[in-house]
Amino acid sequence: MTASHVNLKYGSILGLFAVVLMAVVVLSLMVGAFSISPISIIAILLSPLTSLFGLDLSSYYTTIEETVFWNIRLPRVVLGILTGVSLAVAGAAMQGLFRNPLADPGLIGVSSGAAFSAVAVIVTSGSFLGIFTLPIAAFLGGVVTTLLVYKISTRNGKTSIPTMLLAGIAIGAIAGAGTGVFTYLADDDQLRTLTFWTMGSLASATWESILSILPLVLLAMVLLPLHARALNAFLIGENISGHLGFDPDKTKKQVIILAALLVGAAVASAGIIGFVGLVVPHLVRLLAGPDHRIVLPGSMLLGAAFMLAADLLARTVVSPSELPIGIIMAIIGGPFFLWLLMHRMGRHTF
Amino acid sequence: MVINAPHGEAHLLSIVKVKNLTFGFNSTPLINDVSFEVPVGSLFSIIGPNGAGKSTLLSLLCGDNTGSGSVEIGGRCLTGWSSQSLAKKRAVLPQNVSLNFSFNVSDVVLMGRSPYVRGLAESDLDRDLAKQALCAVEMGDYWNRDYTSLSGGEKQRVQFARVLVQLCESALSESLEGKLLFLDEAVANLDPAHQHQVFKLLKILQQQGLTIINVLHDIQLTAQYSDHVLVMKNAKMLMCDEMRTVLTPDKLEQVYDMPFRKIHDSATSWPFLVAAS
């Protein structure tokens, strides 16, 4: 296979993921307690543009449709894309770093750490950094947890995977207990937010919450793929990546910080949503192999699509009421994780 | 340039110079005040009992660990090398490389091209070299195979191809003078036929100018292929000299605390030594 063949293969896989994402985006914009037709969506999207040329498209949609679209449907879809991208690519990067496909931000306690620190901020009504308070608090919680888990499970450059998963459980439990303490301190209003939020949901999507995480997510989306080749080398060994001319310490630090940034952003805006970082990168690897040059961008596209699809289920199965998306993810992800474990017993690799 | 080696013998140009190297955790040194030089183009073997510090010494030479004292490679202090230019000068072949992810054989070999890749993708030259290197280790048909499905011996040959393409700038036949290959018990898991296959390849690379530093346990392989031998015992360097000077029954008894006998076999040109308990 020549270089161009590889580019073609990777290109067509990414193209496929992009088409899937587009389809889910359109479906998500249309379907809901109040459905909007595709023609109305196109007209609503184009109307700001066409009005500049004196063309009025408002006969193609109603005012209610317009309001629902701009204030409820679109922010929810955009937030779904951002959180899906964040959690999936953070999972993929952590799996590379830990050299293990089971290193999901949710499983190793990073999400719980981020959540604890965010809950602390909500209950103490801290707002020292304006709209960025929650994302930054969640990010710090995520970084501290990742570093703790990494330090505990790594001796002399070797990361013990059982220790990592067990340390993740313990730290997750401690953070969960901390979150529990804060819910006792919370007033009724805060409590309602917290409960819904610890189960994960995109329902509270606003343009403001999107804006508060957008810079962090975009930054990490650009910087993380730059480490793709270093992460590939990491998979055959931390020392070996150094022998090949990469700087393992730099890779480790930057990837941990970027992944925690992404998990923090997702947790701050949508609460704890597990398994995205586990299921999505695995599907990408199944289709395209473990090369991070395809796994990282592929996980971004497929992660967004996966999140939107789960959210679509969350708000349609018990319509007009809705389920927290975290529950949907656990229903899909839990059995998937078990299947992965049993599959691993037979084959030893992923 | 003529340098006096520790044993008074004159060597032309040393590629590795180690002076007063000490390393350890807490107060127990794993490497205790070791000094030696490796002549350019030598096949240099490090032997010694288990736990003597052989692999630790190698990890200090390839930069995985840093001790006190100095390690010079190609006339420059190890810490003075940028990781990328060092990666073009020396490659490391570990004992075994396990993978949790199903990379293809081609992916693993192409990783050896990392120091030469600009941007995201490997070039056609990189791929050509990788294919030739796989053929050189008789794994030419394995290009698209899943690395994790290979046997231990096959994996090790793929790793050998990986370090081969790391050392060569643009052709497998180019001069490798001034370049270094470290092997950490790299043939320990191979059957005798493949062990000798690897060493024959090493001998070819040596003729291209490559210097090879090799940690191993097998006295016969050491005798058959090495030019120089360094002996480690209890974190210290016991001796470092030409192979024939080190590999004698008396000296081996000192190293392993058990008697050795030299067997005379007219078919071999190297000393044939067996442990005689």
PDB file of all heavy atoms in Angstrom, chain B residues 15-40:
ATOM      1  N   ILE B  15      33.453   5.586  20.186  1.00  0.00           N
ATOM      2  CA  ILE B  15      32.150   6.212  19.898  1.00  0.00           C
ATOM      3  C   ILE B  15      31.378   6.474  21.182  1.00  0.00           C
ATOM      4  O   ILE B  15      30.606   7.429  21.277  1.00  0.00           O
ATOM      5  CB  ILE B  15      31.334   5.371  18.895  1.00  0.00           C
ATOM      6  CG1 ILE B  15      30.053   6.103  18.500  1.00  0.00           C
ATOM      7  CG2 ILE B  15      30.998   3.994  19.453  1.00  0.00           C
ATOM      8  CD1 ILE B  15      29.402   5.565  17.279  1.00  0.00           C
ATOM      9  N   VAL B  16      31.594   5.635  22.186  1.00  0.00           N
ATOM     10  CA  VAL B  16      30.953   5.846  23.491  1.00  0.00           C
ATOM     11  C   VAL B  16      32.053   5.955  24.544  1.00  0.00           C
ATOM     12  O   VAL B  16      32.970   5.144  24.560  1.00  0.00           O
ATOM     13  CB  VAL B  16      30.018   4.667  23.854  1.00  0.00           C
ATOM     14  CG1 VAL B  16      29.444   4.840  25.245  1.00  0.00           C
ATOM     15  CG2 VAL B  16      28.898   4.540  22.836  1.00  0.00           C
ATOM     16  N   LYS B  17      31.967   6.999  25.367  1.00  0.00           N
ATOM     17  CA  LYS B  17      32.923   7.144  26.469  1.00  0.00           C
ATOM     18  C   LYS B  17      32.142   7.321  27.764  1.00  0.00           C
ATOM     19  O   LYS B  17      31.333   8.244  27.883  1.00  0.00           O
ATOM     20  CB  LYS B  17      33.797   8.390  26.264  1.00  0.00           C
ATOM     21  CG  LYS B  17      34.825   8.243  25.179  1.00  0.00           C
ATOM     22  CD  LYS B  17      35.712   9.467  25.175  1.00  0.00           C
ATOM     23  CE  LYS B  17      36.165   9.752  23.756  1.00  0.00           C
ATOM     24  NZ  LYS B  17      36.880  11.028  23.672  1.00  0.00           N
ATOM     25  N   VAL B  18      32.404   6.427  28.703  1.00  0.00           N
ATOM     26  CA  VAL B  18      31.708   6.492  29.978  1.00  0.00           C
ATOM     27  C   VAL B  18      32.733   6.749  31.066  1.00  0.00           C
ATOM     28  O   VAL B  18      33.753   6.068  31.125  1.00  0.00           O
ATOM     29  CB  VAL B  18      30.962   5.159  30.249  1.00  0.00           C
ATOM     30  CG1 VAL B  18      30.327   5.164  31.627  1.00  0.00           C
ATOM     31  CG2 VAL B  18      29.905   4.928  29.180  1.00  0.00           C
ATOM     32  N   LYS B  19      32.470   7.761  31.885  1.00  0.00           N
ATOM     33  CA  LYS B  19      33.418   8.085  32.954  1.00  0.00           C
ATOM     34  C   LYS B  19      32.721   8.159  34.304  1.00  0.00           C
ATOM     35  O   LYS B  19      31.761   8.900  34.467  1.00  0.00           O
ATOM     36  CB  LYS B  19      34.073   9.442  32.662  1.00  0.00           C
ATOM     37  CG  LYS B  19      35.516   9.281  32.172  1.00  0.00           C
ATOM     38  CD  LYS B  19      36.213  10.618  32.028  1.00  0.00           C
ATOM     39  CE  LYS B  19      37.094  10.595  30.790  1.00  0.00           C
ATOM     40  NZ  LYS B  19      36.962  11.784  29.975  1.00  0.00           N
ATOM     41  N   ASN B  20      33.213   7.383  35.253  1.00  0.00           N
ATOM     42  CA  ASN B  20      32.740   7.420  36.647  1.00  0.00           C
ATOM     43  C   ASN B  20      31.219   7.421  36.753  1.00  0.00           C
ATOM     44  O   ASN B  20      30.628   8.193  37.522  1.00  0.00           O
ATOM     45  CB  ASN B  20      33.284   8.665  37.363  1.00  0.00           C
ATOM     46  CG  ASN B  20      34.791   8.752  37.255  1.00  0.00           C
ATOM     47  OD1 ASN B  20      35.313   9.649  36.594  1.00  0.00           O
ATOM     48  ND2 ASN B  20      35.488   7.808  37.849  1.00  0.00           N
ATOM     49  N   LEU B  21      30.597   6.562  35.983  1.00  0.00           N
ATOM     50  CA  LEU B  21      29.135   6.525  35.963  1.00  0.00           C
ATOM     51  C   LEU B  21      28.618   5.803  37.208  1.00  0.00           C
ATOM     52  O   LEU B  21      28.999   4.670  37.497  1.00  0.00           O
ATOM     53  CB  LEU B  21      28.661   5.811  34.692  1.00  0.00           C
ATOM     54  CG  LEU B  21      27.163   5.824  34.432  1.00  0.00           C
ATOM     55  CD1 LEU B  21      26.652   7.243  34.267  1.00  0.00           C
ATOM     56  CD2 LEU B  21      26.840   4.997  33.201  1.00  0.00           C
ATOM     57  N   THR B  22      27.749   6.495  37.958  1.00  0.00           N
ATOM     58  CA  THR B  22      27.130   5.907  39.149  1.00  0.00           C
ATOM     59  C   THR B  22      25.640   6.205  39.090  1.00  0.00           C
ATOM     60  O   THR B  22      25.230   7.289  38.697  1.00  0.00           O
ATOM     61  CB  THR B  22      27.732   6.506  40.433  1.00  0.00           C
ATOM     62  OG1 THR B  22      29.117   6.200  40.466  1.00  0.00           O
ATOM     63  CG2 THR B  22      27.070   5.933  41.678  1.00  0.00           C
ATOM     64  N   PHE B  23      24.856   5.205  39.471  1.00  0.00           N
ATOM     65  CA  PHE B  23      23.402   5.377  39.402  1.00  0.00           C
ATOM     66  C   PHE B  23      22.744   4.450  40.407  1.00  0.00           C
ATOM     67  O   PHE B  23      23.212   3.328  40.640  1.00  0.00           O
ATOM     68  CB  PHE B  23      22.907   5.041  37.992  1.00  0.00           C
ATOM     69  CG  PHE B  23      21.405   5.029  37.858  1.00  0.00           C
ATOM     70  CD1 PHE B  23      20.684   6.219  37.809  1.00  0.00           C
ATOM     71  CD2 PHE B  23      20.715   3.829  37.792  1.00  0.00           C
ATOM     72  CE1 PHE B  23      19.301   6.209  37.683  1.00  0.00           C
ATOM     73  CE2 PHE B  23      19.331   3.809  37.672  1.00  0.00           C
ATOM     74  CZ  PHE B  23      18.631   5.007  37.610  1.00  0.00           C
ATOM     75  N   GLY B  24      21.674   4.905  41.039  1.00  0.00           N
ATOM     76  CA  GLY B  24      20.949   4.032  41.953  1.00  0.00           C
ATOM     77  C   GLY B  24      19.796   4.745  42.606  1.00  0.00           C
ATOM     78  O   GLY B  24      19.715   5.974  42.568  1.00  0.00           O
ATOM     79  N   PHE B  25      18.875   3.958  43.153  1.00  0.00           N
ATOM     80  CA  PHE B  25      17.805   4.527  43.947  1.00  0.00           C
ATOM     81  C   PHE B  25      18.223   4.403  45.408  1.00  0.00           C
ATOM     82  O   PHE B  25      18.890   3.454  45.799  1.00  0.00           O
ATOM     83  CB  PHE B  25      16.495   3.785  43.702  1.00  0.00           C
ATOM     84  CG  PHE B  25      16.064   3.825  42.257  1.00  0.00           C
ATOM     85  CD1 PHE B  25      16.177   2.694  41.460  1.00  0.00           C
ATOM     86  CD2 PHE B  25      15.581   5.001  41.688  1.00  0.00           C
ATOM     87  CE1 PHE B  25      15.792   2.728  40.129  1.00  0.00           C
ATOM     88  CE2 PHE B  25      15.197   5.040  40.364  1.00  0.00           C
ATOM     89  CZ  PHE B  25      15.302   3.903  39.577  1.00  0.00           C
ATOM     90  N   ASN B  26      17.802   5.327  46.244  1.00  0.00           N
ATOM     91  CA  ASN B  26      18.192   5.372  47.649  1.00  0.00           C
ATOM     92  C   ASN B  26      19.723   5.350  47.753  1.00  0.00           C
ATOM     93  O   ASN B  26      20.401   6.002  46.985  1.00  0.00           O
ATOM     94  CB  ASN B  26      17.558   4.218  48.433  1.00  0.00           C
ATOM     95  CG  ASN B  26      16.053   4.190  48.236  1.00  0.00           C
ATOM     96  OD1 ASN B  26      15.434   5.257  48.146  1.00  0.00           O
ATOM     97  ND2 ASN B  26      15.487   3.011  48.141  1.00  0.00           N
ATOM     98  N   SER B  27      20.268   4.538  48.668  1.00  0.00           N
ATOM     99  CA  SER B  27      21.723   4.589  48.820  1.00  0.00           C
ATOM    100  C   SER B  27      22.417   3.416  48.133  1.00  0.00           C
ATOM    101  O   SER B  27      23.626   3.418  47.955  1.00  0.00           O
ATOM    102  CB  SER B  27      22.083   4.610  50.310  1.00  0.00           C
ATOM    103  OG  SER B  27      21.490   3.500  50.944  1.00  0.00           O
ATOM    104  N   THR B  28      21.635   2.378  47.735  1.00  0.00           N
ATOM    105  CA  THR B  28      22.282   1.237  47.080  1.00  0.00           C
ATOM    106  C   THR B  28      22.484   1.530  45.597  1.00  0.00           C
ATOM    107  O   THR B  28      21.520   1.699  44.863  1.00  0.00           O
ATOM    108  CB  THR B  28      21.427  -0.040  47.202  1.00  0.00           C
ATOM    109  OG1 THR B  28      20.058   0.359  47.061  1.00  0.00           O
ATOM    110  CG2 THR B  28      21.648  -0.732  48.526  1.00  0.00           C
ATOM    111  N   PRO B  29      23.765   1.593  45.176  1.00  0.00           N
ATOM    112  CA  PRO B  29      23.993   1.877  43.760  1.00  0.00           C
ATOM    113  C   PRO B  29      23.684   0.648  42.902  1.00  0.00           C
ATOM    114  O   PRO B  29      23.985  -0.485  43.297  1.00  0.00           O
ATOM    115  CB  PRO B  29      25.484   2.217  43.711  1.00  0.00           C
ATOM    116  CG  PRO B  29      26.082   1.609  44.925  1.00  0.00           C
ATOM    117  CD  PRO B  29      25.001   1.436  45.935  1.00  0.00           C
ATOM    118  N   LEU B  30      23.038   0.886  41.756  1.00  0.00           N
ATOM    119  CA  LEU B  30      22.807  -0.192  40.794  1.00  0.00           C
ATOM    120  C   LEU B  30      23.973  -0.236  39.810  1.00  0.00           C
ATOM    121  O   LEU B  30      24.275  -1.261  39.223  1.00  0.00           O
ATOM    122  CB  LEU B  30      21.496   0.030  40.048  1.00  0.00           C
ATOM    123  CG  LEU B  30      20.245   0.020  40.922  1.00  0.00           C
ATOM    124  CD1 LEU B  30      19.021   0.436  40.129  1.00  0.00           C
ATOM    125  CD2 LEU B  30      20.037  -1.367  41.527  1.00  0.00           C
ATOM    126  N   ILE B  31      24.598   0.937  39.648  1.00  0.00           N
ATOM    127  CA  ILE B  31      25.812   1.058  38.843  1.00  0.00           C
ATOM    128  C   ILE B  31      26.807   1.846  39.692  1.00  0.00           C
ATOM    129  O   ILE B  31      26.488   2.932  40.174  1.00  0.00           O
ATOM    130  CB  ILE B  31      25.544   1.829  37.536  1.00  0.00           C
ATOM    131  CG1 ILE B  31      24.567   1.065  36.631  1.00  0.00           C
ATOM    132  CG2 ILE B  31      26.853   2.100  36.789  1.00  0.00           C
ATOM    133  CD1 ILE B  31      25.085  -0.247  36.114  1.00  0.00           C
ATOM    134  N   ASN B  32      27.983   1.264  39.928  1.00  0.00           N
ATOM    135  CA  ASN B  32      28.916   1.865  40.869  1.00  0.00           C
ATOM    136  C   ASN B  32      30.231   2.231  40.184  1.00  0.00           C
ATOM    137  O   ASN B  32      31.041   1.365  39.874  1.00  0.00           O
ATOM    138  CB  ASN B  32      29.151   0.866  42.016  1.00  0.00           C
ATOM    139  CG  ASN B  32      29.843   1.525  43.200  1.00  0.00           C
ATOM    140  OD1 ASN B  32      30.295   2.669  43.099  1.00  0.00           O
ATOM    141  ND2 ASN B  32      29.922   0.801  44.300  1.00  0.00           N
ATOM    142  N   ASP B  33      30.409   3.502  39.885  1.00  0.00           N
ATOM    143  CA  ASP B  33      31.666   4.040  39.377  1.00  0.00           C
ATOM    144  C   ASP B  33      32.224   3.246  38.189  1.00  0.00           C
ATOM    145  O   ASP B  33      33.303   2.681  38.259  1.00  0.00           O
ATOM    146  CB  ASP B  33      32.699   4.074  40.518  1.00  0.00           C
ATOM    147  CG  ASP B  33      33.891   4.967  40.147  1.00  0.00           C
ATOM    148  OD1 ASP B  33      33.718   5.845  39.280  1.00  0.00           O
ATOM    149  OD2 ASP B  33      34.966   4.751  40.716  1.00  0.00           O
ATOM    150  N   VAL B  34      31.468   3.242  37.100  1.00  0.00           N
ATOM    151  CA  VAL B  34      31.865   2.483  35.911  1.00  0.00           C
ATOM    152  C   VAL B  34      32.470   3.418  34.866  1.00  0.00           C
ATOM    153  O   VAL B  34      31.908   4.471  34.579  1.00  0.00           O
ATOM    154  CB  VAL B  34      30.648   1.741  35.324  1.00  0.00           C
ATOM    155  CG1 VAL B  34      30.965   1.175  33.946  1.00  0.00           C
ATOM    156  CG2 VAL B  34      30.208   0.631  36.269  1.00  0.00           C
ATOM    157  N   SER B  35      33.653   3.061  34.331  1.00  0.00           N
ATOM    158  CA  SER B  35      34.282   3.833  33.260  1.00  0.00           C
ATOM    159  C   SER B  35      34.747   2.888  32.162  1.00  0.00           C
ATOM    160  O   SER B  35      35.382   1.873  32.452  1.00  0.00           O
ATOM    161  CB  SER B  35      35.494   4.611  33.775  1.00  0.00           C
ATOM    162  OG  SER B  35      35.137   5.452  34.840  1.00  0.00           O
ATOM    163  N   PHE B  36      34.421   3.195  30.919  1.00  0.00           N
ATOM    164  CA  PHE B  36      34.935   2.387  29.798  1.00  0.00           C
ATOM    165  C   PHE B  36      34.703   3.143  28.497  1.00  0.00           C
ATOM    166  O   PHE B  36      34.036   4.178  28.486  1.00  0.00           O
ATOM    167  CB  PHE B  36      34.260   1.016  29.756  1.00  0.00           C
ATOM    168  CG  PHE B  36      32.780   1.056  29.475  1.00  0.00           C
ATOM    169  CD1 PHE B  36      32.306   0.930  28.178  1.00  0.00           C
ATOM    170  CD2 PHE B  36      31.858   1.249  30.498  1.00  0.00           C
ATOM    171  CE1 PHE B  36      30.943   0.974  27.913  1.00  0.00           C
ATOM    172  CE2 PHE B  36      30.498   1.302  30.239  1.00  0.00           C
ATOM    173  CZ  PHE B  36      30.047   1.156  28.945  1.00  0.00           C
ATOM    174  N   GLU B  37      35.292   2.627  27.419  1.00  0.00           N
ATOM    175  CA  GLU B  37      35.069   3.216  26.101  1.00  0.00           C
ATOM    176  C   GLU B  37      34.720   2.127  25.101  1.00  0.00           C
ATOM    177  O   GLU B  37      35.171   0.991  25.239  1.00  0.00           O
ATOM    178  CB  GLU B  37      36.323   3.965  25.637  1.00  0.00           C
ATOM    179  CG  GLU B  37      36.654   5.135  26.542  1.00  0.00           C
ATOM    180  CD  GLU B  37      37.771   6.009  26.005  1.00  0.00           C
ATOM    181  OE1 GLU B  37      38.248   5.730  24.883  1.00  0.00           O
ATOM    182  OE2 GLU B  37      38.140   6.958  26.703  1.00  0.00           O
ATOM    183  N   VAL B  38      33.900   2.486  24.125  1.00  0.00           N
ATOM    184  CA  VAL B  38      33.535   1.525  23.084  1.00  0.00           C
ATOM    185  C   VAL B  38      34.134   1.981  21.763  1.00  0.00           C
ATOM    186  O   VAL B  38      33.817   3.079  21.302  1.00  0.00           O
ATOM    187  CB  VAL B  38      32.001   1.410  22.952  1.00  0.00           C
ATOM    188  CG1 VAL B  38      31.642   0.415  21.858  1.00  0.00           C
ATOM    189  CG2 VAL B  38      31.379   1.007  24.278  1.00  0.00           C
ATOM    190  N   PRO B  39      35.027   1.167  21.155  1.00  0.00           N
ATOM    191  CA  PRO B  39      35.636   1.574  19.900  1.00  0.00           C
ATOM    192  C   PRO B  39      34.619   1.610  18.764  1.00  0.00           C
ATOM    193  O   PRO B  39      33.694   0.802  18.741  1.00  0.00           O
ATOM    194  CB  PRO B  39      36.681   0.482  19.623  1.00  0.00           C
ATOM    195  CG  PRO B  39      36.762  -0.332  20.855  1.00  0.00           C
ATOM    196  CD  PRO B  39      35.496  -0.149  21.604  1.00  0.00           C
ATOM    197  N   VAL B  40      34.809   2.530  17.839  1.00  0.00           N
ATOM    198  CA  VAL B  40      33.925   2.629  16.677  1.00  0.00           C
ATOM    199  C   VAL B  40      33.919   1.310  15.908  1.00  0.00           C
ATOM    200  O   VAL B  40      34.964   0.702  15.693  1.00  0.00           O
ATOM    201  CB  VAL B  40      34.407   3.757  15.736  1.00  0.00           C
ATOM    202  CG1 VAL B  40      33.736   3.641  14.368  1.00  0.00           C
ATOM    203  CG2 VAL B  40      34.108   5.109  16.330  1.00  0.00           C
TER     204      VAL B  40
END
